[in-house]
Amino acid sequence: MNKVILIGRLTADPELRFLPGNGRAVSNFSLAVDKDLSRDKKQEFEQQGKPTADFIRIVVFGRSAENCANYLAKGRLVAVDGRLQTRSYENAQGQRVYITEVLANSVEFLEWGDNNSAGNKRENNKGSNDSMDFSAAEGFQPVDDDDIPF
Amino acid sequence: MNKVILIGRLTADPELRFLPGNGRAVSNFSLAVDKDLSRDKKQEFEQQGKPTADFIRIVVFGRSAENCANYLAKGRLVAVDGRLQTRSYENAQGQRVYITEVLANSVEFLEWGDNNSAGNKRENNKGSNDSMDFSAAEGFQPVDDDDIPF
Amino acid sequence: MNKVILIGRLTADPELRFLPGNGRAVSNFSLAVDKDLSRDKKQEFEQQGKPTADFIRIVVFGRSAENCANYLAKGRLVAVDGRLQTRSYENAQGQRVYITEVLANSVEFLEWGDNNSAGNKRENNKGSNDSMDFSAAEGFQPVDDDDIPF
Amino acid sequence: MNKVILIGRLTADPELRFLPGNGRAVSNFSLAVDKDLSRDKKQEFEQQGKPTADFIRIVVFGRSAENCANYLAKGRLVAVDGRLQTRSYENAQGQRVYITEVLANSVEFLEWGDNNSAGNKRENNKGSNDSMDFSAAEGFQPVDDDDIPF
DNA sequence: TTTT
DNA sequence: TTTT
């Protein structure tokens, strides 16, 4: 069992890449998920310049990746359901870097507001629907780290 | 919302420390959580020497931390319920290192077998009970990173 | 382990009662949670007059109950985190009725919109905050069914 | 979003049926999931003859259903991951009965012990593996209530 | 008995 | 490197 459920806001517009081998779409973004702080603790953290959120990397594949890239933008509120994944790679300095991230099964859009930070997002969306689920589950197969150029 | 649920095996005996300030117990360990691979994919991964599990850091505080340190050992199967947390610290080389880990609310012991790797573990346990829940939730207060010497 | 996470809309304004013994607040409401249907299946269900959502009873205690009663109304979108609970009671006809419901730990408000169906709701709210979490966890103690007059 | 995760023991051997239309396997069983009671509360409940567990209906489809029927029995410990579902039907007395149950995506076996209550279970299992996951997810399609003869 |  |  490996389940993660997050509700948070995108810290930046999502990235979109395509896997070299099969052209499969991959989207990456980070979520700011508010820490569970009391009102007092939150103030204290803010005053001390300490983060009041956790920043968590999300990866999505396939059509869900494309939907994220097309409809989401910095600041948007989403619910992510997925699993924790660890990867490692060699960086430019030859050091092994360890990554823990959430491989999303589905990304649910919780807002279809107009406060859109990225002017180019959210064309042709369904409009009235405020909770559309673009599942990433369709036939997902785990992918070689080596295929992923980032 | 920030929920994580994992079932996996300890990759090593748990560590136990006490916070400088208040003496609060903190335990750290990693869990090997099997990836969701088909039988074929699993074999392929094994042949290529690729990990068939994800390795995830767990932190627990308070009495639950002490219980983990006292009753768990490398290889034990547990269910962890908690939240994802990100931290960063400066390493010896002056580089910022980012950590993603699970802050456990509760660690449920799913085995009370005899295949105990650490001979000193599992004295005075409740014996017949095979699913004891040592909640970490009692009055947990988020803690300054700076208090944590690791 | 017993975890439930739901995102859905209130099917009616929440009810608020107080336990006879200790005066503790209890709120009840139901959530319409969309079934995971393909676009085609959804249309089919609608045409056949079959429900496209599951309707799930929620119970909340304490301050969270009061917050729900004060700030929520029919149609509002919320995220509920809690545990499944079964109860039974004797009805007027002397039959035993079995109830399965979600005992909420926390109810997160995912909307602070203006399409408020209940004109008397959502006074004095925090305004700018669109994701406020009224935790029900504070010292919750399981409660005798017999204390609950419904 | 609609997620349920339970760890509990079967209250009876699982049932197995096949849907009239397509012959798809369906298995039903109930799980006893311990309530989250303090040691004192638990004793009190036991003395008063009140249940210390919640009893939750599980439905599984497809190959996972067959695996449950073949390998599980009363008393076995499992982890279930699924979604809450509500159904209703007319009973013999012409009254509408409402059912809330968990539609399982996967049933993870957490024990392969020898304390097998049903002598006919657990032939040809994988033996050494103590955490086998028979996913129910493969191409599951929501099914008409009317097709289900129970 | 149900929501957008 | 982070969001409202």
Side-chain angles (χ1 to χ4, degrees), chain A residues 95, chain B residues 88-97:
Chain A
Q95 296 153 142
Chain B
S88 72
Y89 66 91
E90 202 94 358
N91 72 3
Q93 293 87 74
Q95 294 153 143
R96 193 134 284 270
V97 180

Side-chain angles (χ1 to χ4, degrees), chain B residues 5 7 9 79 110-111 130, chain D residues 5 7 9 79 110-111 130:
Chain B
I5 294 159
I7 295 180
R9 294 185 181 280
L110 296 175
E111 280 182 348
D130 62 346
Chain D
I5 294 159
I7 297 181
R9 293 186 182 279
L110 297 175
E111 280 181 349
D130 62 347

